[in-house]
Amino acid sequence: MINLSYPVCTLDNKQVLPSGCELSPGVMNSIRAPQEETRKTQSLLRHAAIDQDLREFLQIYPYNVIFGDKTDMAGLYAHMGAVYLSPPVCETLDYFKINDYYTYRHIITVFALTTLISRDLLDDHEKCIAASATGPTHDIGKICVPLSILRKTSPLTPEERLLLQHHAPAGYALLQYYNCDAFAAEVALNHHERRDGSGYPLGSSEIDQMVEIVAACDVYDALISVRPYRKECFDNRTALEEITVMAEENKIGWDVVKVLIANNRSNKPHYSEVVVSREKRGKKPVHNCYGHTAVKNEAKTGNS
Ligand SMILES: [Fe+2]
Ligand SMILES: [Fe+2]
């Protein structure tokens, strides 16, 4: 069972759960917002400029290859257009767009990538829609993380890392509060868990395949993006090698790796035909604070 290390609050500063609260089924059932606040849902693609922004993001390499000629974009947009969310959930994207553009872009590209990958890996149409719907909400808990931490360019202190990791249980609680799909809440909670038990918040090794699809898309997009803590991104080859290493270390399964590689090829082979190269010839970015911990005096003078 998870105990919250920090409170969970909405964007309008309503406390959903206090620090120290246990995320039990009883507590989860008790926090649901009044239906009238969340019943009216809308297609996320029709919210603000999300459709237009998404189309722009997908024109940038390597997404222009991944979503290239042979991709059924009409079918993909139909899937994404079928994702309906309540207004306060859609508004979290407006918040990120204004305050943390990286997270905004990340959430939208993970939405598209998750939709693409789930169409390849899952046969069931309903499951594909459900998996697709988890992309836009997987990091919703970051509204509970101070912007100074999300934007920090130097290593996090242990306390700051705990606060960042709070986004997983916070997202779970927020999505329950907003009466979202139970599976979306599960993805928000578990998308940083790994098969070898090295993830968080629980260190669980039992990962649902649909959760793992989001987890792999999440890591891949993070690697190929410039982040506050890393001015230079991983080049695409090195990013795919990093994802391959995760499968070699049994952190994620091979199927999601193969689907990502298959979609990176212009001829779009079926993922089962992909033979993954184990050769590592990529070059990682030199300046990368990710995973580094700030020492005490750095924390005092840090730029957060
Ligand atoms: Fe996350
Ligand atoms: Fe993420």
Side-chain angles (χ1 to χ4, degrees):
M1 195 69 71
I2 294 170
N3 282 304
L4 290 172
S5 304
Y6 304 93
V8 176
C9 298
T10 62
L11 278 180
D12 50 2
N13 275 328
K14 179 173 186 272
Q15 183 170 282
V16 174
L17 287 173
S19 165
C21 186
E22 192 179 71
L23 297 188
S24 65
V27 169
M28 288 301 104
N29 277 330
S30 71
I31 60 173
R32 296 190 173 277
Q35 287 281 333
E36 53 276 17
E37 277 181 37
T38 58
R39 196 186 305 124
K40 223 177 114 199
T41 56
Q42 58 188 100
S43 170
L44 180 66
L45 275 191
R46 281 193 226 118
H47 179 76
I50 288 181
D51 190 347
Q52 189 189 331
D53 291 341
L54 172 67
R55 287 172 198 272
E56 252 170 53
F57 299 149
L58 298 189
Q59 281 171 22
I60 299 166
Y61 180 82
Y63 287 114
N64 62 342
V65 175
I66 295 171
F67 295 90
D69 291 348
K70 296 209 161 116
T71 306
D72 165 25
M73 289 306 286
L76 198 80
Y77 273 102
H79 262 108
M80 295 174 76
V83 171
Y84 275 62
L85 296 168
S86 63
V89 175
C90 294
E91 282 157 19
T92 60
L93 283 164
D94 304 338
Y95 166 81
F96 289 125
K97 186 171 184 178
I98 294 166
N99 296 292
D100 179 17
Y101 198 78
Y102 164 74
T103 298
Y104 173 71
R105 195 208 57 82
H106 168 73
I107 287 171
I108 292 180
T109 48
V110 169
F111 177 26
L113 201 52
T114 300
T115 308
L116 181 75
I117 301 299
S118 62
R119 273 159 51 98
D120 284 353
L121 279 178
L122 308 170
D123 315 320
D124 188 305
H125 177 79
E126 292 304 313
K127 269 190 168 183
C128 288
I129 304 278
S132 176
T134 66
T137 52
H138 79 281
D139 272 339
I140 189 174
K142 286 189 176 171
I143 68 167
C144 301
V145 178
L147 289 169
S148 58
I149 292 178
L150 295 181
R151 296 171 181 159
K152 193 174 177 191
T153 56
S154 54
L156 300 180
T157 65
E159 169 78 6
E160 287 169 336
R161 181 159 296 123
L162 271 181
L163 251 163
L164 180 62
Q165 292 183 350
H166 173 59
H167 84 274
Y172 178 67
L174 283 168
L175 292 171
Q176 298 275 358
Y177 173 73
Y178 286 126
N179 294 302
C180 286
D181 184 72
F183 178 60
E186 193 193 324
V187 167
L189 180 65
N190 293 329
H191 69 281
H192 289 285
E193 298 286 8
R194 299 293 178 254
R195 283 184 180 201
D196 64 352
S198 63
Y200 67 86
L202 281 176
S204 166
S205 55
E206 279 169 33
I207 323 280
D208 182 282
Q209 188 193 21
M210 287 155 76
V211 175
E212 194 164 84
I213 290 172
V214 182
C217 296
D218 182 41
V219 173
Y220 175 69
D221 180 71
L223 289 169
I224 60 171
S225 307
V226 171
R227 305 291 300 262
Y229 52 78
R230 190 188 61 226
K231 284 200 179 107
E232 207 185 316
C233 59
F234 281 65
D235 65 73
N236 198 36
R237 159 122 203 156
T238 313
L240 289 170
E241 285 181 6
E242 289 288 302
I243 299 279
T244 302
V245 169
M246 288 179 74
E248 288 168 346
E249 292 176 347
N250 192 36
K251 293 187 190 306
I252 57 170
W254 282 103
D255 281 354
V256 283
V257 177
K258 288 181 180 179
V259 176
L260 277 171
I261 293 172
N263 279 289
N264 264 286
R265 294 189 180 155
S266 48
N267 61 338
K268 310 287 177 201
H270 189 267
Y271 74 90
S272 60
E273 293 161 19
V274 169
V275 178
V276 183
S277 162
R278 303 292 189 97
E279 190 194 341
K280 307 288 183 285
R281 52 185 163 90
K283 264 193 170 174
K284 297 181 191 181
V286 184
H287 302 290
N288 187 0
C289 295
Y290 184 77
H292 293 215
T293 302
V295 291
K296 254 189 170 165
N297 56 350
E298 265 182 17
K300 277 183 194 158
T301 55
N303 57 357
S304 66

